[in-house]
Amino acid sequence: MSLLSGPPAVVAAGVDVFSAALRAQGADVHDVDWRPPGFGDPADLAALALDRRRAAANRTAVERVMAAGSRLVDVRPARDVLGLPDRTLLHAGPPIGWDDASGPLRGALIGACLFEGWASSVEDAERVLAAGEVALDPCHHHRTVGPMAGVTSPSMWLWCLEDPVTGGQAFCNLNEGLGKVLRMGAYNDEVLTRLAWMRDVLGPVLQAAVRSMAEPLDVKAVLAQMLQMGDEGHNRNRAGSLMTLRELSPAVVEVDAPSSDIAAVLRFIGGNEHFFLNLGMPTAKLALDAARDVSGSTMVTVMSRNGTEFGIRTAGTGDRWFTGPANTPVGLFLGDYGPDDANPDIGDSAIMETYGVGGFTMAAAPAIVRFVGGTVPDALATTERMYQLTLAENPAMQVPILGFRGSPTGIDVLAVARTGWLPQINTGMAGRVAGTGQVGAGLVQPPQQCFEQALAALAQESRTA
């Protein structure tokens, strides 16, 4: 009881935001300069730290990321734009086979086989997938990204984005909304009916609308404005989705299609708070692809997960994957779902954090804590901490509450190893049992093994350069 009878004395470890909040309330605060222990072989750390190419290479990689733009130029079926053959499905994360696939990835693959007509029943779909009759390949191997399971089939329509600086292209399928959706591993009649409508109505209408626009939609500009309006670009996309609806609506209503179809399209977009996510992801992909293959750079260009493994790539090691077991997010759950229902981390959407938004700009969207858990001080502290893991601040992506400071951009493998801190990711949670759908949303970090492997590979590359 004596603990509560007088004013508190607080010992605080970590970022200053906690101490400042307590001092503002008159508390006696003693700061301790503590951080998690670093990791990695000292010889590897020294090799990277002393690599004469590193500073210039990282500067080049960051400059390419920041210079990249993103324009919406078309909407086309995956079969056409990617040359995706029948009996081929793309998925999120590093490479994986059916035998190792998680529940939600299996559910999405089953649903895609049913949607494409390659199987007549769930059991038939499981049979053709287990027999290897359907080829599986990561979205990232095709300049493509997909949220959650990320499964993309030939008949699905893709957003087609272009970088006006480099001419690079990136693609993403269309967002289905929340709840029981294919990307969360659901495959019931409701899911398949929606996918058919997206194939037959939504895709063609959006294609006609986008092609008729006098100027391509500047998606990077929308993403930047979202951060000024309370979004963080990964799990909160309300403002971005509404701005996209505003920009597309005039062209949509002029499409030569039945009025009922036009109304359905506008209703679908207006009722889907995550509609913009599938535009933001290829925007980030464009920027990070611009920094691929910069010898000597320690910057991360991909963070992605398939529900079993988490994988990263770096600018200095090109297309090589560094993987470890995916962690399970911690957060808030829908309905009666709980921690035992959640699958380990899944999706290509961590490309947003790799770009420097999402979990890296939680301070721009304090309301996100109502969806993923934590507190407003947690959100502020997370963004502050991410600056210590990154190479630069992106002036195009500003965080208002931090005095319009640019978002922390360019995850540095060396900085992650030295600090022992891992990147923070906001994410949805899919049910671990195939067919369940979404069970919640929360926060997660990559496994340390990914960065340990990348550190060793970059050090070896620096020794042989």
Side-chain angles (χ1 to χ4, degrees), residues 11 68 135 162 184 218 238 240 287 290 387-388 398 447-448:
V11 176
E162 181 180 85
M184 296 285 183
D218 187 338
R238 289 184 177 183
Y387 284 110
Q388 300 188 49
Q398 298 179 345
Q448 184 173 301

Side-chain angles (χ1 to χ4, degrees), residues 79 220 252 271 277 358 360 416:
R79 176 182 291 105
K220 181 179 179 180
V252 168
L277 175 61
F360 281 44
V416 172

Side-chain angles (χ1 to χ4, degrees), residues 62-205:
V62 166
E63 287 173 352
R64 290 181 182 180
V65 167
M66 293 187 180
S70 176
R71 302 185 304 184
L72 174 61
V73 296
D74 208 350
V75 185
R76 298 172 61 194
R79 176 182 291 105
D80 299 339
V81 71
L82 300 179
L84 199 63
D86 283 337
R87 302 277 173 160
T88 299
L89 295 175
L90 305 185
H91 63 81
I96 194 169
W98 172 258
D99 289 344
D100 297 319
S102 63
L105 179 53
R106 286 192 171 205
L109 293 171
I110 291 168
C113 287
L114 295 172
F115 168 64
E116 292 289 346
W118 301 339
S120 57
S121 66
V122 172
E123 294 75 20
D124 191 26
E126 291 175 328
R127 180 190 60 77
V128 299
L129 288 161
E133 296 176 18
V134 175
L136 307 180
D137 206 29
C139 291
H140 272 291
H141 291 184
H142 299 265
R143 297 173 294 166
T144 303
V145 280
M148 300 306 291
V151 171
T152 301
S153 68
S155 299
M156 293 180 184
W157 289 73
L158 304 182
W159 295 116
C160 304
L161 277 64
E162 181 180 85
D163 176 8
V165 177
T166 66
Q169 294 180 310
F171 312 98
C172 188
N173 55 17
L174 308 179
N175 194 284
E176 308 159 78
L178 295 175
K180 284 192 175 294
V181 289
L182 188 79
R183 72 177 187 276
M184 296 285 183
Y187 52 79
N188 62 14
D189 288 343
E190 173 191 349
V191 173
L192 297 177
T193 299
R194 185 189 305 111
L195 289 174
W197 176 81
M198 293 173 71
R199 176 195 62 205
D200 299 336
V201 177
L202 180 63
V205 168

Side-chain angles (χ1 to χ4, degrees), residues 192-248:
L192 297 177
T193 299
R194 185 189 305 111
L195 289 174
W197 176 81
M198 293 173 71
R199 176 195 62 205
D200 299 336
V201 177
L202 180 63
V205 168
L206 288 175
Q207 181 187 71
V210 168
R211 289 181 174 181
S212 72
M213 295 173 69
E215 295 290 337
L217 175 65
D218 187 338
V219 185
K220 181 179 179 180
V222 174
L223 180 57
Q225 186 63 25
M226 288 166 59
L227 301 182
Q228 313 289 310
M229 300 171 69
D231 285 349
E232 40 73 67
H234 188 165
N235 256 319
R236 187 177 174 88
N237 293 277
R238 289 184 177 183
S241 296
L242 288 172
M243 283 190 284
T244 301
L245 176 62
R246 181 191 66 184
E247 296 298 320
L248 293 179

Side-chain angles (χ1 to χ4, degrees), residues 252-343:
V252 168
V253 298
E254 292 182 349
V255 172
D256 183 13
S259 60
S260 58
D261 287 349
I262 300 300
V265 167
L266 293 175
R267 190 180 304 115
F268 178 79
I269 299 173
N272 183 356
E273 295 181 357
H274 283 287
F275 187 75
F276 178 82
L277 175 61
N278 294 44
L279 285 164
M281 288 172 58
T283 295
K285 176 67 173 168
L286 279 173
L288 291 155
D289 272 359
R292 289 171 60 186
D293 299 316
V294 179
S295 296
S297 174
T298 55
M299 191 183 81
V300 176
T301 55
V302 170
M303 292 196 299
S304 185
R305 46 273 211 263
N306 56 33
T308 301
E309 288 188 312
F310 194 113
I312 70 172
R313 289 171 160 180
T314 76
T317 53
D319 292 337
R320 183 176 172 185
W321 287 99
F322 306 102
T323 63
N327 294 320
T328 301
V330 176
L332 303 179
F333 293 89
L334 303 174
D336 295 330
Y337 292 121
D340 291 340
D341 299 305
N343 194 79

Side-chain angles (χ1 to χ4, degrees), residues 17-41:
V17 63
F18 294 114
S19 301
L22 290 165
R23 287 195 178 94
Q25 300 175 66
D28 179 20
V29 182
H30 304 272
D31 291 303
V32 176
D33 185 12
W34 178 90
R35 64 181 59 200
F39 58 82
D41 187 302

